[in-house]
Amino acid sequence: MSDLPAACLRVQAAAETAGLAIRIVVRAEATRTAEEAAAACGCGVAQIVKSLVFVGKQSGKPWLLLVSGANRVDEKGAARHLGEPLKRPDAAFVRELTGYAIGGIPPIGHPIDIATCIDPDLMGFPTVWAAAGTPNAVFEVDPRALAATTKATLMPMA
Ligand code: 5CA
């Protein structure tokens, strides 16, 4: 466990602090995209958690959307749900906010709490796989426990 990359150790520590049981796996192959992660984990792409950062167009408030790898965010639906339109910040903003580079952004372990929404389509699986801090590390987690830990609200994405 101690030979995990530093970014993964931050995710592991956050999980331990939250009492969230996770299993981080570092792969030889890339898990930068949902498709790559699904192939590496031997699961369907719907079982992969994409951790996507958006910001409110007016407020600049950041949102973390935990989206099934099979879905794309319906931006009109999200705007209705959140009360303002969203935009995608650039990669530098995302790195600054979360502490991780795109392709490895985990749903937990950020320097500050980010308001979080989760895709109901993830909740039907016994476990799902999310990025663990680097573009070749993932962790397996119960989606209900992930939602509870991140205080996520359910938001239909598809
Ligand atoms: N490790 C995988 C599976 S868990 C992963 O992190 N997937 S992901 O979907 O959460 O992260 C990749 C996402 O980053 C892409 O879906 C894409 O929407 C987003 N992205 C890629 N490039 C940029 C960029 N330059 N700025 C903002 N977002 C980007």
Side-chain angles (χ1 to χ4, degrees):
M1 193 58 78
S2 57
D3 55 2
L4 285 173
C8 298
L9 288 174
R10 286 189 278 135
V11 176
Q12 180 71 52
E16 280 168 14
T17 299
L20 179 69
I22 68 171
R23 183 166 69 90
I24 294 181
V25 181
V26 178
R27 304 281 182 187
E29 65 275 37
T31 57
R32 193 178 297 276
T33 66
E35 289 75 16
E36 287 174 354
C41 297
C43 68
V45 76
Q47 212 170 339
I48 300 296
V49 182
K50 298 191 285 190
S51 301
L52 305 178
V53 175
F54 286 79
V55 294
K57 254 186 195 154
Q58 282 115 38
S59 66
K61 175 179 172 167
W63 291 93
L64 180 64
L65 306 188
L66 305 182
V67 184
S68 165
N71 291 339
R72 288 183 61 84
V73 176
D74 163 16
E75 293 204 24
K76 284 208 177 95
R80 275 196 304 277
H81 190 90
L82 301 175
E84 67 172 327
L86 299 178
K87 62 178 183 182
R88 292 302 290 272
D90 66 23
F93 177 94
V94 174
R95 184 172 194 135
E96 181 75 16
L97 177 77
T98 65
Y100 304 87
I102 282 171
I105 294 170
I108 59 169
H110 313 123
I112 55 161
D113 284 348
I114 310 169
T116 303
C117 299
I118 192 166
D119 186 341
D121 286 358
L122 288 168
M123 307 310 281
F125 296 103
T127 63
V128 293
W129 291 86
T134 75
N136 67 334
V138 285
F139 69 88
E140 187 174 19
V141 66
D142 175 343
R144 284 155 295 274
L146 178 63
T149 297
T150 57
K151 300 185 178 66
T153 57
L154 286 170
M155 181 168 88
M157 305 285 175

